[in-house]
Amino acid sequence: MTALPLGRATPAPLAAPPAAEPVALLQLSGDTADAASAVYREVRRGRRVVAVVAGGDRAVRRLAETLDAIGAPTVTPAAGEALLHDGVTLAPGPDVASSRPVEDRVAPLRVALAGCGVVGGGLLPRLLADHRFEVVGVLVRDPGKARDTALPRHLRVTDPAALLAREPDVLVEVLSDASTGLALTRAALSRGIDVVSANKQAIGGDLAALTALAVSGGARLLYSASVGGGAPLIETVRRARRHGEIVRIEAVLNGTCNFILNRLADGMAFDTAVAAAQAAGFAEADPSADLDGLDAAAKLAILAHEAADWRLPVDAVARAALSGAAGLPSGRARQVARLDLETRRAGVTFEAVDGDPLFADLADEGNALRVTTADGRLFTVRGRGAGRVPTAESVWADLGDLRDVAC
Ligand SMILES: NC(=O)c1ccc[n+]([C@@H]2O[C@H](COP(=O)([O-])OP(=O)(O)OC[C@H]3O[C@@H](n4cnc5c(N)ncnc54)[C@H](OP(=O)(O)O)[C@@H]3O)[C@@H](O)[C@H]2O)c1
């Protein structure tokens, strides 16, 4: 596939993606996972995408379905209609040879995967099938557990030190345990091993310190999936910051609360709604981090770092808890996370958002964010904030960014 970002001749380097929101023209060889990833990576760079897809209308339809699952909805214009729309436009085009020519000649990136649950289990088959990567080990808690993803015996590791002893180039940290994830991330960075993390509770505690550790260790730390899953919230904050001083961030960051609030609005009892969220894979067995706002607070700490190098302790975020319909504002209620960069206040509250189209009609797993800069410009984004497919895709895009720099 070929990417022709208009107004930019070279691919964006890791630290300085484009300041404007140009258009990317992609010529894709079909409806493959690679094609969807190529589109997604342009979307998260803030670009509108026009993709010409080989394989006719069927390939376009299948690619549109894959992108929808990731959280990047598409437009397929009718014949004669303009090609350039907001978001992603797909159009059928001529066959092109599938290409990974340059990358295929470099050594595979050695990947240590920490975690093989919802997110790790989505990544592992893709890593194993792609010869640009070599999986050197997979850290789990219970090596004998039945999984929905085949985990080869020789890759199973239960000791974090043994995982790093396999000498990876990159650690993909998708554990559900904050302290183990943080210790592993620190150990990797201090040894010069790059880290891609989705673990907001691990990295949200002190991202500035981890970033400094990465710099001193000569490693890179990427964590797009830690806030917003597949929705490029961190990238949007970075883009706004390149535009000018950020004064305010408002966001819906927690899918479990969305799910429960949507059910409460339909008249479901609170306990039933929590049980339904657990059954649907949104809420964990202990949903307290979601309901008490701790999950959103950790994400706010990461966004504060991105917005202004603000070292916001998670416990300094004022939090309201969701414990039932009583106490919720009337109308369409959402858990809204806010950062005020001028007063340095951070909070997670439940608010009526009926008049706010960005937040009001969010689906269960939908996340959304609005950034306001000092000159009044608004940067907004919506997407799928949770789930295997979008979250794994976001981690995959971080791995792609690492590889682009390594090549
Ligand atoms: N799921 C999402 O939609 C989503 C979205 C964005 C970010 N995230 C973040 O991504 C991370 C992974 O989420 P998930 O949904 O994939 O979690 P999960 O399904 O619960 O899987 C967690 C994995 O971590 C392993 N693990 C936990 N503690 C461990 C320990 N002390 N030592 C070794 N292995 C350990 C588990 O091992 P066993 O399999 O043996 O139990 C499991 O494989 C979390 O930090 C989460 O916040 C998730």
Side-chain angles (χ1 to χ4, degrees):
M1 70 202 63
T2 29
L4 301 171
L6 297 183
R8 248 188 114 82
T10 49
L14 255 189
E21 290 98 20
V23 178
L25 295 180
L26 302 179
Q27 191 173 21
L28 302 173
S29 55
D31 56 346
T32 60
D34 274 357
S37 296
V39 173
Y40 174 74
R41 288 182 69 194
E42 297 298 341
V43 169
R44 79 175 201 162
R45 288 174 179 143
R47 292 173 176 152
R48 288 195 276 173
V49 179
V50 177
V52 179
V53 186
D57 291 337
R58 238 174 111 201
V60 167
R61 262 198 316 276
R62 281 199 302 247
L63 183 58
E65 280 165 20
T66 307
L67 284 165
D68 187 51
I70 294 170
T74 58
V75 176
T76 316
E81 208 185 298
L83 267 187
L84 191 54
H85 293 258
D86 281 345
V88 180
T89 307
L90 302 182
D95 284 352
V96 287
S98 174
S99 65
R100 287 183 186 164
V102 179
E103 287 183 287
D104 282 356
R105 284 196 289 273
V106 302
L109 205 61
R110 292 169 59 79
V111 177
L113 180 63
C116 191
V118 173
V119 182
L123 283 163
L124 183 60
R126 215 166 159 188
L127 286 166
L128 290 173
D130 191 325
H131 60 275
R132 294 172 298 179
F133 300 100
E134 179 189 350
V135 180
V136 298
V138 179
L139 178 70
V140 291
R141 201 167 19 199
D142 176 2
K145 183 172 164 178
R147 297 173 193 279
D148 59 3
T149 303
L151 171 51
R153 189 174 293 275
H154 72 281
L155 293 178
R156 295 176 202 171
V157 178
T158 53
D159 171 14
L163 184 72
L164 294 188
R166 295 190 176 197
E167 300 188 346
D169 300 313
V170 54
L171 166 73
V172 175
E173 202 280 86
V174 288
L175 296 173
S176 51
D177 172 347
S179 58
T180 306
L182 179 58
L184 192 55
T185 295
R186 281 197 181 122
L189 293 175
S190 58
R191 289 190 207 179
I193 299 167
D194 294 332
V195 175
V196 174
S197 176
N199 191 341
K200 84 271 318 182
Q201 299 290 1
I203 64 164
D206 195 350
L207 194 45
L210 285 179
T211 305
L213 188 59
V215 170
S216 68
R220 286 158 300 177
L221 171 64
L222 283 77
Y223 42 85
S224 181
S226 66
V227 185
L233 305 194
I234 288 176
E235 289 77 3
T236 303
V237 172
R238 287 179 183 162
R239 203 157 47 249
R241 186 176 181 177
R242 282 195 300 279
H243 170 79
E245 183 194 352
I246 294 175
V247 293
R248 196 161 49 254
I249 292 179
E250 304 140 279
V252 171
L253 299 172
N254 186 275
T256 303
C257 285
N258 273 355
F259 185 101
I260 293 170
L261 289 167
N262 285 345
R263 299 301 174 287
L264 293 179
D266 293 340
M268 194 180 272
F270 178 70
D271 290 348
T272 314
V274 172
Q278 287 164 326
F282 277 89
E284 294 177 22
D286 174 7
S288 54
D290 293 323
L291 302 183
D292 296 351
L294 204 56
D295 174 84
K299 292 169 178 170
L300 273 185
I302 294 169
L303 295 179
H305 173 80
E306 294 296 339
D309 299 324
W310 176 10
R311 222 165 175 156
L312 171 65
V314 174
D315 57 15
V317 178
R319 294 184 276 122
L322 178 59
S323 55
L328 287 176
S330 58
R332 173 61 73 184
R334 291 273 172 245
Q335 185 203 56
V336 179
R338 291 182 185 279
L339 289 178
D340 185 324
L341 282 295
E342 293 174 313
T343 61
R344 296 278 153 151
R345 286 211 187 111
V348 178
T349 54
F350 291 89
E351 300 176 16
V353 295
D354 303 74
D356 189 338
L358 186 66
F359 296 154
D361 67 342
L362 281 177
D364 296 333
E365 76 280 33
N367 277 193
L369 168 121
R370 179 185 293 115
V371 186
T372 309
T373 52
D375 61 0
R377 183 164 171 195
L378 300 178
F379 292 76
T380 61
V381 63
R382 279 158 62 115
R384 292 194 198 277
R388 170 172 280 180
V389 172
T391 308
E393 189 65 40
S394 174
V395 173
W396 189 259
D398 277 354
L399 280 169
D401 286 355
L402 282 180
R403 270 201 67 94
D404 282 355
V405 172
C407 285

